[in-house]
Amino acid sequence: MADLQVPLVRPKRKKVLVDYLVQFRWILVIFVVLPVSALIYLNIYLGDMWSAMKSEKRRQKEHDENVQKVVKRLKQRNPKKDGLVCTARKPWIAVGMRNVDYKRARHFEVDLSAFRNIIEIDKERMVAKVEPLVNMGQITRYTCPMNLALAVVAELDDLTVGGLINGYGIEGSSHLYGLFSDTVVAMEVVLADGRVVRATKDNEHSDLFYGIPWSQGTLGFLVSAEIKLIPIKEYMRLTYTPVKGTLREMAQSYADSFAPRDGDPAKVPDFVEGMVYTATEGVMMTGVYASKEEAKKKGNKTNSVGWWFKPWFYQHAQTALKRGEFVEYIPTRQYYHRHTRCLYWEGKLILPFGDQFWFRFLLGWLMPPKVSLLKATQGESIRNYYHDNHVIQDMLVPLYKVGDALEFVHKEMEIYPLWICPHRLYKLPVKTMVYPEPGFEHHHRQGDTSYAQMFTDVGVYYTPAAVLRGEEFNGAQAVHRLEQWLIENHSYQPQYAVSELDEKSFWRMFDASHYEHCRQKYGAVGTFMSVYYKSKKGRKTEKEVQEAEAAILEPAYADEA
């Protein structure tokens, strides 16, 4: 542990103009981004309310009409003249940090902007049928009053169902239910030839059902999904437990908080997450659903963390390091979205004084700024600056390797706080792009079962300490080393993030076999861009993309002779 306490020595970095643009960017955020974000949020809210007032029958009718518009648009495409197919969404609207450079090449756009309705809440089947642009804030606003929720509710309001299924989504309940895509019951997909199919895990399109997650929309257009609902209660009883020690000791305390070594299921909480604030201090949080009656009992403390003037959640949790372990009751919906106002801790970089009481009281109701607007107003130079001097990455690693991952991040990036959240990675009937370690079930490691290996998301979101000290830092090299570590440790990098992987390394991290089977079977080749070319860093020329799509060669992931 001694080597962890001495940061890597780096030369000092001279400031340039873009440093000052970033330093004083808060002026643009205060006077432009926040007010415009508020108007956009209001417009979205009114649209959601209007949608909720419609009958389920009418919403289904409008959905069917919109699906036919997509089918008609796809059939208008001339493969010889038009580019590859993608949505008409502007590149900067995506919540992820990866540059949507593939849309700079010639492409054929299909408008999916109408698909933002909750079609049906089926209380008998315990399933919510929703369209892909429904976001987490919208669905919890609709279901929580019914004491229902999706089994996995991603923390940030703006994250959409489509992005979480086609890509990746996690929450503090994922140690029970897996990733967001694992809670999907059925998907309605428009294929390259205009056919509309319903894919489930046990019908004739089961291969497509397992192929869609992590495919980034490159197998077809997801136009609706049926997602598992669970019963909930009005409050979350949250226990904050401070942990001090080495990174490995904190990793073990984290594992013990939700995966008891004696295997007693009564000790498994409904929610769990951890925040590592320094190389020697962290706070582990475990939550259990609680009724309103329990929360209001004399002596119990309630905390409405969602109010605009309240301290940012990660800073509130950090007080456990001084206070010691404590328990409080948080309204369930506010708990779900506890990280939204401050975007975990990225809000501190966007608005350095945003966590101060005067700002929270006067302007906290405007938070958070829309990520899409932050991206739209940053310009090329600031965007490149963030790629070089800032990190937003998630590392999905086996639970027993969390200590190794924390030490790696400390050595290479020295970023704090770190977010840690467990999730099951299921052993499925087919080998999908992400899969557990072969033979994991024979090792009987902590948290594993016979049907799922326990993984953990290590969230690395902030400016490295070297940059904060004014030292040189090469973000591309750091991310490249992180990706190589992930490959060597059977771990994964969600594709929303900036990636330095070449094609061969990409398919060393992910398994291509089932994905390529679906690409061929469902006619995606030549219509939709492949997931690697959609995810790779840098601009894609039309020639590069077309040659990659047209080639039927030895797979890029195959070992060289």
Side-chain angles (χ1 to χ4, degrees):
M1 184 64 187
D3 60 324
L4 293 178
Q5 299 171 8
V6 180
L8 296 176
V9 178
R10 295 181 172 93
K12 289 292 183 180
R13 173 179 172 272
K14 291 183 178 180
K15 283 193 173 184
V16 294
L17 176 60
V18 69
D19 289 282
Y20 297 100
L21 293 177
V22 171
Q23 182 179 349
F24 294 102
R25 194 172 174 224
W26 61 266
I27 298 173
L28 180 67
V29 173
I30 288 283
F31 293 105
V32 177
V33 176
L34 282 180
V36 176
S37 295
L39 293 175
I40 293 175
Y41 284 130
L42 176 61
N43 182 59
I44 292 173
Y45 174 78
L46 294 175
D48 293 345
M49 292 300 99
W50 172 244
S51 173
M53 292 171 62
K54 300 175 184 177
S55 67
E56 290 184 352
K57 184 177 180 180
R58 181 179 174 184
R59 277 177 269 167
Q60 181 65 57
K61 182 175 181 294
E62 291 179 356
H63 171 77
D64 293 339
E65 292 171 351
N66 289 328
V67 169
Q68 289 308 307
K69 290 178 183 178
V70 172
V71 172
K72 181 179 179 181
R73 174 65 174 158
L74 274 174
K75 290 184 176 179
Q76 291 172 348
R77 175 176 175 262
N78 184 338
K80 295 182 179 179
K81 295 182 179 179
D82 298 317
L84 295 172
V85 175
C86 63
T87 68
R89 185 175 66 171
K90 298 300 180 185
W92 46 269
I93 290 180
V95 174
M97 300 311 296
R98 172 174 50 84
N99 297 337
V100 190
D101 287 323
Y102 61 87
K103 290 191 177 181
R104 301 190 185 195
R106 183 166 60 95
H107 57 275
F108 184 83
E109 293 186 344
V110 178
D111 187 5
L112 299 182
S113 61
F115 290 90
R116 55 171 306 104
N117 296 305
I118 298 170
I119 300 172
E120 180 187 10
I121 300 296
D122 189 332
K123 295 181 181 179
E124 291 186 6
R125 294 175 58 219
M126 290 296 283
V127 163
K129 184 177 181 181
V130 299
E131 292 179 324
L133 293 185
V134 169
N135 64 34
M136 294 297 98
Q138 179 182 358
I139 190 71
T140 57
R141 190 185 305 116
Y142 196 93
T143 61
C144 283
M146 307 176 190
N147 279 352
L148 297 174
L150 300 182
V152 174
V153 181
E155 290 91 345
L156 302 183
D157 286 28
D158 273 357
L159 296 175
T160 63
V161 166
L164 295 168
I165 294 175
N166 281 301
Y168 141 89
I170 191 174
E171 164 59 306
S173 60
S174 289
H175 65 298
L176 298 175
Y177 302 106
L179 296 176
F180 188 89
S181 56
D182 293 317
T183 68
V184 176
V185 175
M187 308 177 198
E188 183 184 14
V189 183
V190 180
L191 302 176
D193 61 3
R195 284 184 297 150
V196 182
V197 300
R198 181 176 182 269
T200 69
K201 64 181 180 181
D202 52 10
N203 72 358
E204 68 271 28
H205 302 297
S206 61
D207 52 357
L208 183 64
F209 177 84
Y210 289 116
I212 289 286
W214 294 80
S215 71
Q216 296 293 319
T218 59
L219 297 178
F221 284 127
L222 177 71
V223 290
S224 76
E226 297 167 43
I227 309 171
K228 179 180 180 179
L229 289 168
I230 61 170
I232 63 171
K233 297 178 181 178
E234 297 89 347
Y235 281 81
M236 186 68 63
R237 182 185 185 274
L238 195 64
T239 302
Y240 302 79
T241 304
V243 178
K244 298 184 180 182
T246 66
L247 290 172
R248 289 186 178 274
E249 287 170 344
M250 284 191 279
Q252 185 59 59
S253 296
Y254 154 76
D256 292 342
S257 71
F258 68 91
R261 300 191 198 195
D262 61 6
D264 184 357
K267 297 178 182 178
V268 179
D270 295 322
F271 278 78
V272 61
E273 69 177 333
M275 285 182 265
V276 181
Y277 292 96
T278 70
T280 58
E281 295 181 323
V283 175
M284 306 304 152
M285 286 149 283
T286 53
V288 178
Y289 286 114
S291 66
K292 184 177 181 180
E293 292 73 23
E294 178 184 343
K296 297 297 183 180
K297 283 182 180 179
K298 186 177 180 180
N300 289 342
K301 181 182 177 182
T302 60
N303 183 9
S304 297
V305 299
W307 284 100
W308 76 92
F309 54 83
K310 287 282 190 173
W312 288 355
F313 183 76
Y314 83 96
Q315 293 179 340
H316 171 65
Q318 191 175 11
T319 63
L321 294 173
K322 293 183 177 180
R323 295 172 57 182
E325 182 173 290
F326 67 97
V327 177
E328 63 185 10
Y329 291 78
I330 300 174
T332 297
R333 185 169 185 269
Q334 294 187 25
Y335 174 78
Y336 285 154
H337 303 295
R338 61 200 177 279
H339 294 298
T340 291
R341 270 193 305 130
C342 54
L343 300 173
Y344 286 89
W345 28 89
E346 286 289 313
K348 184 68 174 174
L349 293 174
I350 299 166
L351 291 170
F353 45 79
D355 58 343
Q356 300 300 305
F357 177 77
W358 65 267
F359 179 87
R360 288 187 277 112
F361 186 78
L362 295 175
L363 295 175
W365 57 276
L366 289 171
M367 293 291 284
K370 282 194 73 68
V371 174
S372 57
L373 278 181
L374 291 172
K375 293 168 65 177
T377 57
Q378 68 185 6
E380 192 76 15
S381 60
I382 293 179
R383 183 173 77 164
N384 292 334
Y385 175 90
Y386 283 136
H387 286 179
D388 293 336
N389 299 285
H390 186 258
V391 176
I392 296 185
Q393 295 282 341
D394 285 271
M395 306 167 63
L396 307 189
V397 304
L399 176 61
Y400 73 95
K401 293 186 176 182
V402 170
D404 295 336
L406 295 179
E407 290 185 346
F408 174 86
V409 173
H410 180 93
K411 177 184 176 183
E412 295 291 339
M413 300 177 178
E414 200 184 350
I415 288 176
Y416 294 98
L418 297 172
W419 184 67
I420 48 179
C421 182
H423 70 89
R424 279 177 168 164
L425 191 58
Y426 290 99
K427 184 168 64 173
L428 300 174
V430 296
K431 191 176 184 182
T432 56
M433 285 182 63
V434 298
Y435 56 96
E437 291 178 302
F440 73 90
E441 64 273 23
H442 303 304
H443 295 281
H444 306 290
R445 297 188 182 99
Q446 188 174 8
D448 292 353
T449 65
S450 61
Y451 54 86
Q453 184 177 11
M454 193 64 73
F455 270 58
T456 284
D457 182 339
V458 178
V460 188
Y461 327 123
Y462 209 60
T463 299
V467 177
L468 297 176
R469 291 192 296 261
E471 300 170 0
E472 289 185 358
F473 181 81
N474 190 316
Q477 287 184 5
V479 169
H480 176 71
R481 288 193 290 269
L482 178 146
E483 291 166 338
Q484 296 309 307
W485 187 94
L486 292 173
I487 291 171
E488 292 165 3
N489 288 275
H490 194 94
S491 302
Y492 302 100
Q493 173 194 46
Q495 299 142 335
Y496 80 86
V498 175
S499 173
E500 300 292 335
L501 291 171
D502 59 28
E503 188 168 9
K504 183 175 181 180
S505 295
F506 184 89
W507 291 121
R508 286 177 60 211
M509 180 181 291
F510 302 101
D511 189 87
S513 55
H514 185 73
Y515 171 74
E516 291 296 344
H517 158 78
C518 291
R519 294 267 297 164
Q520 295 290 338
K521 177 178 177 179
Y522 293 101
V525 177
T527 300
F528 297 101
M529 185 179 294
S530 77
V531 66
Y532 169 72
Y533 280 93
K534 191 170 183 179
S535 302
K536 71 171 288 194
K537 182 180 178 181
R539 298 191 182 194
K540 290 82 172 169
T541 66
E542 184 178 345
K543 181 180 179 181
E544 176 188 26
V545 172
Q546 288 181 340
E547 287 178 350
E549 292 301 312
I552 304 176
L553 302 172
E554 182 182 7
Y557 54 88
D559 292 334
E560 292 181 352

